[in-house]
Amino acid sequence: MKIIAVNAGSSSLKFQLLNMPEEHEITSGLVERIGYDNAVFTIKIDGKKVKKETPVPNHKVAVELVIEGLLEHKVIASLDEIKGVGHRVVQGGELFKDSVVITDQVVKDIESLNDLAPLHNPANITGIEAFRELLPNVIQVAVFDTTFHQTMREDAYLYAAPYDWYKKYGVRKYGFHGTSHQFVSERAQELLGNKDAKIIVAHLGNGASLCAVDGGKSVDTSMGLTPLEGIPMGTRSGNIDPAVLMLVSEKENKTYEEVLNDLNKSSGYLGVSGISNDSRDIVENMLQGHYRATLAHRIQIKRIADYIGSYYVYMGGLDAICFTAGIGENAPEVRKDVINAIKVLGITLDEEENQKRGERMISTADSKVKAFIIPTNEEVMIAREVLRLNK
Ligand code: ADP
């Protein structure tokens, strides 16, 4: 059965068509620059990317383009073959503790959370509406980045701020990357042969977060009310004293919004190194002795290790740490330095395995705590949820 997994952003729409339950990718692609005359539609056909530049005024036209592309390239013979659509939705707040079949009411409920994710949820909704309009008889499911973390206890998700802020405005930690943390931790449980395992997932991509998973449940995660909290990322600062906002806004005559933008877009690897937000550039320059690239790397490693230490204590032990996403799957230098930074926990790196790619154990056989590379697959996770709710 064919299912589409969709990730709609404000000016882009990514999709993957999967055969389920085989979890086999049939094709994938994206529409970029939605809202512009020179939008680009890309679709993978026989392993090759086919591109087309065309005006795409809105998400509905983007979805039409995707569907026409699937028909034109004979990926599907008719629309009837598509049996379900799964939509990634960033913020589910406390309303959504599970994925859900989309109805008019569900769309309204997602809209009611727009204040918590003003950059993401409205864009996700435009994708949902476009697909509902074009495929009205097909089951559509919303899969939230936050639901996996809804199992956190209050002591993990509440900020030590006025309690009223939580009650009135929903100010608390929600966490993100939930589909990835769930996918990777479930795989780690299988590899360990232990459903009760204590696992830390390090999802290190452009956006990056850590998650502590105890017996299959998220008990803590590093992102917060927004994806800005936690470890530093490509361009995000991660944790920082909020008083910085006031100081920098006064010194640089900027609004809080502008300073917040700097913390989101000009910080992290990019801000510290002054070179790049891309881990490949950071590592390359570090190996050539570039001071600030090295500093960006060292800060990153320390902050990741800080979280791992705290999760180890919070869970009362650790069976495995799993590296995933762009950096986690592809940057041996980052994995190596993280593992060396936490070796006190009883973890030893297998240097040779660490140089390889793909799913594998990268700790030595006698290592008390195991380390794995586990490639993430958020699309498969979304398609699984569509399948589960299509009963
Ligand atoms: P996102 O999905 O959050 O945009 P990704 O998971 O694609 O991000 O991760 C992007 C990051 O992965 C970039 O910092 C990039 O440098 C890093 N990355 C991708 N491939 C490699 C590689 N071969 N070696 C080192 N880093 C890599």
Side-chain angles (χ1 to χ4, degrees):
M1 149 172 164
K2 294 189 176 82
I3 288 176
I4 304 189
V6 180
N7 184 355
S10 55
S11 67
S12 70
L13 187 137
K14 289 190 205 152
F15 70 94
Q16 191 174 114
L17 183 69
L18 298 107
N19 228 343
M20 296 296 287
E22 295 81 0
E23 305 193 343
H24 161 248
E25 176 187 332
I26 303 168
T27 185
S28 62
L30 79 164
V31 184
E32 290 164 287
R33 300 181 57 81
I34 297 172
Y36 296 88
D37 282 345
N38 58 346
V40 182
F41 170 51
T42 310
I43 183 167
K44 221 192 303 171
I45 300 296
D46 299 328
K48 289 205 193 83
K49 285 183 180 170
V50 181
K51 281 190 189 237
K52 175 167 147 186
E53 193 176 308
T54 176
V56 178
N58 55 48
H59 284 72
K60 186 169 168 222
V61 174
V63 176
E64 281 168 354
L65 210 55
V66 169
I67 289 172
E68 280 164 21
L70 294 174
L71 290 167
E72 184 190 328
H73 293 286
K74 308 209 166 22
V75 180
I76 53 171
S78 93
L79 275 189
D80 300 341
E81 286 180 36
I82 300 174
K83 299 294 185 204
V85 184
H87 297 269
R88 176 196 183 198
V89 178
V90 167
Q91 179 57 271
E94 291 183 336
L95 279 178
F96 296 101
K97 301 205 185 287
D98 194 2
S99 306
V100 62
V101 176
I102 298 172
T103 61
D104 291 343
Q105 186 57 46
V106 167
V107 173
K108 283 196 194 118
D109 288 344
I110 296 173
E111 271 168 352
S112 76
L113 300 168
N114 281 355
D115 275 355
L116 293 177
L119 300 179
H120 294 103
N121 273 27
N124 300 152
I125 291 169
T126 53
I128 290 174
E129 285 182 332
F131 269 96
R132 287 185 89 204
E133 212 174 316
L134 291 166
L135 301 173
N137 300 318
V138 173
I139 181 176
Q140 316 249 345
V141 169
V143 180
F144 301 89
D145 267 24
T146 49
T147 51
F148 184 58
H149 304 300
Q150 280 293 302
T151 45
M152 286 190 287
R153 295 196 318 240
E154 282 172 313
D155 59 345
Y157 73 68
L158 278 179
Y159 294 119
Y163 193 71
D164 269 4
W165 296 357
Y166 166 57
K167 282 291 166 203
K168 287 204 273 201
Y169 317 122
V171 171
R172 52 159 282 181
K173 223 162 83 168
Y174 293 96
F176 299 92
H177 292 140
T179 43
S180 177
H181 289 303
Q182 185 177 358
F183 180 89
V184 172
S185 57
E186 283 180 3
R187 182 69 191 133
Q189 286 179 348
E190 284 172 18
L191 293 171
L192 292 163
N194 177 6
K195 284 235 159 251
D196 299 322
K198 298 179 193 299
I199 294 162
I200 294 176
V201 180
H203 177 110
L204 309 177
N206 255 326
S209 71
L210 302 187
C211 182
V213 183
D214 194 347
K217 291 193 163 57
S218 166
V219 294
D220 204 353
T221 191
S222 57
M223 282 180 168
L225 174 76
T226 74
L228 183 55
E229 188 179 344
I231 55 173
M233 314 176 202
T235 62
R236 294 189 192 124
S237 62
N239 290 350
I240 195 161
D241 182 341
V244 167
L245 271 180
M246 201 169 86
L247 187 142
V248 175
S249 90
E250 275 173 12
K251 297 281 183 201
E252 298 211 338
N253 203 16
K254 285 181 170 174
T255 61
Y256 282 180
E257 204 177 349
E258 286 168 328
V259 183
L260 207 54
N261 198 45
D262 289 342
L263 292 174
N264 266 304
K265 305 247 172 80
S266 314
S267 300
Y269 274 155
L270 177 63
V272 178
S273 73
I275 302 177
S276 170
N277 66 316
D278 191 306
S279 72
R280 278 166 290 202
D281 299 329
I282 299 298
V283 168
E284 202 178 300
N285 280 276
M286 175 179 74
L287 295 176
Q288 289 166 6
H290 188 286
Y291 175 69
R292 279 173 53 186
T294 309
L295 197 55
H297 174 81
R298 286 179 48 215
I299 293 174
Q300 188 70 8
I301 300 299
K302 178 185 184 299
R303 300 282 201 92
I304 294 172
D306 287 348
Y307 270 98
I308 295 173
S310 106
Y311 291 167
Y312 173 87
V313 173
Y314 191 60
M315 288 195 287
L318 182 64
D319 295 298
I321 166 141
C322 312
F323 293 91
T324 195
I327 300 169
E329 291 169 32
N330 296 301
E333 299 82 1
V334 174
R335 291 192 299 260
K336 176 180 170 191
D337 289 346
V338 168
I339 289 176
N340 282 334
I342 58 167
K343 59 175 184 274
V344 66
L345 303 185
I347 184 165
T348 316
L349 183 70
D350 181 329
E351 300 264 0
E352 209 168 297
E353 286 304 297
N354 185 45
Q355 292 302 323
K356 299 179 187 164
R357 274 168 211 258
E359 183 182 287
R360 68 192 57 253
M361 191 165 89
I362 55 167
S363 51
T364 56
D366 62 348
S367 185
K368 204 171 90 206
V369 177
K370 307 292 180 217
F372 296 103
I373 302 172
I374 300 182
T376 192
N377 197 330
E378 290 166 282
E379 289 77 15
V380 160
M381 201 68 220
I382 290 172
R384 280 183 195 166
E385 290 295 87
V386 177
L387 205 59
R388 180 171 68 86
L389 295 178
N390 186 25
K391 294 284 184 233

